[in-house]
């Protein structure tokens, strides 16, 4: 899976790489689910759009927070199928984290998980395959006490308006609800490097595949969902401080001893 990644490349370099405006971009060494992060869509490819990581389908009654979608089923699952057909995006990154069980030296016992950062050797930015949705939260049911409730008790306080099932007056206040834009990252089988760390990895698109992912037909896009070669990729253990989404600092990507 892909549950954390980095994007600390300076805005000017991201703009040169993706030919898009990253105005206001702040470097992050610990991009985490629930955060608002930049993605590039075909609707506005000249501007990186901030969206929340954790997809919620349009039809949902409540947030789903789906951070990953499996390449093998992304075209079939109800939560992802429509977005795959119509709303694909690029998720810029310059590395991602995976966690590996550590042994404490005793057979069958673990001392917890050690995070590893996976990236290209030169830390260059790349695009992960993503899909996105626009979700409008349902308006909450509201209740309001009618004026008749303060009247003569002989009528039981019942008013003449519409009532809900529990007998209270239901009133729609007509207030607008903000549309929430969310995205998820598509994952696939790992390449040889990542396979030593985890059984899934994010789909990394080559630069010449990005236009097809954004604008190609669904069949052509599906053909891109394979593991990226690991020829120029590296992985090294990093501090367990990355486990906390609240921690975001350059030291998070520095190599530490593999305990």
């Amino acid at each position: 899976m892909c549950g954390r990644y980095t994007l600390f490349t300076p805005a000017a370099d991201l703009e040169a790489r993706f030919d898009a405006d990253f105005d206001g971009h702040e470097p992050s060494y610990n991009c985490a689910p629930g955060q608002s992060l930049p993605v590039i869509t075909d609707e506005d490819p000249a501007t990186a759009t901030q969206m929340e990581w954790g997809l919620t389908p349009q039809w949902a009654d409540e947030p789903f927070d789906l951070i990953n979608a499996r390449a093998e089923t992304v075209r079939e699952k109800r939560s992802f199928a429509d977005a795959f057909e119509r709303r694909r995006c690029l998720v810029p990154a310059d590395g991602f984290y995976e966690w590996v069980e550590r042994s404490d030296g005793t057979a069958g016992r673990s001392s917890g998980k050690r995070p590893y950062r996976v990236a290209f050797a030169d830390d260059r930015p790349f695009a992960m395959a993503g899909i996105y949705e626009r979700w409008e939260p349902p308006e909450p049911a509201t209740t309001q006490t009618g004026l008749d409730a303060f009247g003569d008790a002989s009528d039981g306080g019942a008013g003449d308006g519409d009532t809900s099932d529990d007998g209270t007056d239901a009133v729609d206040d007509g207030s607008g609800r903000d549309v929430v834009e969310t995205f998820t990252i598509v994952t696939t089988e790992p390449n040889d490097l990542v396979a030593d760390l985890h059984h899934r990895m994010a789909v990394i698109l080559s630069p010449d595949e990005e236009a097809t992912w954004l604008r190609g037909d669904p069949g052509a896009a599906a053909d891109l969902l394979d593991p990226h070669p690991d020829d120029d990729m590296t992985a090294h253990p990093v501090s367990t401080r990355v486990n906390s989404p609240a921690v975001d600092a350059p030291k998070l990507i520095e190599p530490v001893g593999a305990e």
Side-chain angles (χ1 to χ4, degrees):
M1 65 176 294
C2 179
R4 300 285 178 82
Y5 63 92
T6 62
L7 186 61
F8 55 81
T9 300
D13 293 341
L14 290 174
E15 291 174 347
R17 167 62 176 80
F18 293 103
D19 194 23
D21 182 5
F22 279 77
D23 184 46
H25 168 67
E26 294 290 338
S28 177
Y29 299 84
N30 197 1
C31 300
Q35 294 179 356
S36 182
L37 299 163
V39 302
I40 297 171
T41 72
D42 184 40
E43 290 184 335
D44 189 10
T47 303
T49 303
Q50 295 291 123
M51 293 189 184
E52 184 177 313
W53 185 11
L55 185 139
T56 297
Q58 288 183 341
W59 44 262
D61 292 328
E62 58 186 12
F64 274 31
D65 302 328
L66 302 169
I67 67 170
N68 290 159
R70 292 176 64 91
E72 297 85 347
T73 56
V74 68
R75 302 183 70 180
E76 304 164 6
K77 286 190 173 292
R78 184 186 178 206
S79 296
F80 306 126
D82 188 62
F84 180 86
E85 293 285 322
R86 310 169 192 277
R87 290 176 294 279
R88 297 187 292 271
C89 63
L90 307 178
V91 182
D94 43 35
F96 58 90
Y97 297 105
E98 296 293 356
W99 277 257
V100 179
E101 289 285 355
R102 293 180 293 172
S103 171
D104 68 354
T106 305
R109 296 184 61 178
S110 170
S111 61
K113 292 186 175 183
R114 162 65 66 192
Y116 281 70
R117 180 171 180 264
V118 182
F120 287 102
D122 58 2
D123 271 335
R124 66 180 180 268
F126 55 87
M128 298 184 288
I131 58 177
Y132 67 99
E133 278 282 18
R134 294 186 175 93
W135 176 63
E136 185 172 354
E139 296 205 10
T142 58
T143 60
Q144 179 174 319
T145 304
L147 294 175
D148 291 338
F150 299 98
D152 193 331
S154 63
D155 63 4
D160 296 327
D162 295 336
T163 61
S164 63
D165 292 340
D166 63 1
T168 59
D169 291 349
V171 178
D172 182 356
D173 64 6
S175 62
R177 305 288 293 174
D178 290 335
V179 173
V180 180
E181 295 185 313
T182 62
F183 74 93
T184 192
I185 296 169
V186 183
T187 67
T188 187
E189 296 290 325
N191 59 30
D192 290 343
L193 175 71
V194 179
D196 290 336
L197 310 175
H198 200 273
H199 64 280
R200 305 290 296 177
M201 70 176 289
V203 172
I204 298 175
L205 300 167
S206 298
D208 60 359
E209 296 176 330
E210 293 168 5
T212 301
W213 178 252
L214 285 182
R215 297 183 286 275
D217 65 66
D223 289 341
L224 306 178
L225 300 179
D226 51 6
H228 194 282
D230 63 357
D231 301 344
D232 193 25
M233 300 185 75
T234 64
H236 61 259
V238 295
S239 170
T240 54
R241 294 181 65 222
V242 76
N243 295 355
S244 171
V247 179
D248 190 352
K251 285 184 175 294
L252 292 182
I253 67 170
E254 295 179 1
V256 299
E259 301 170 4

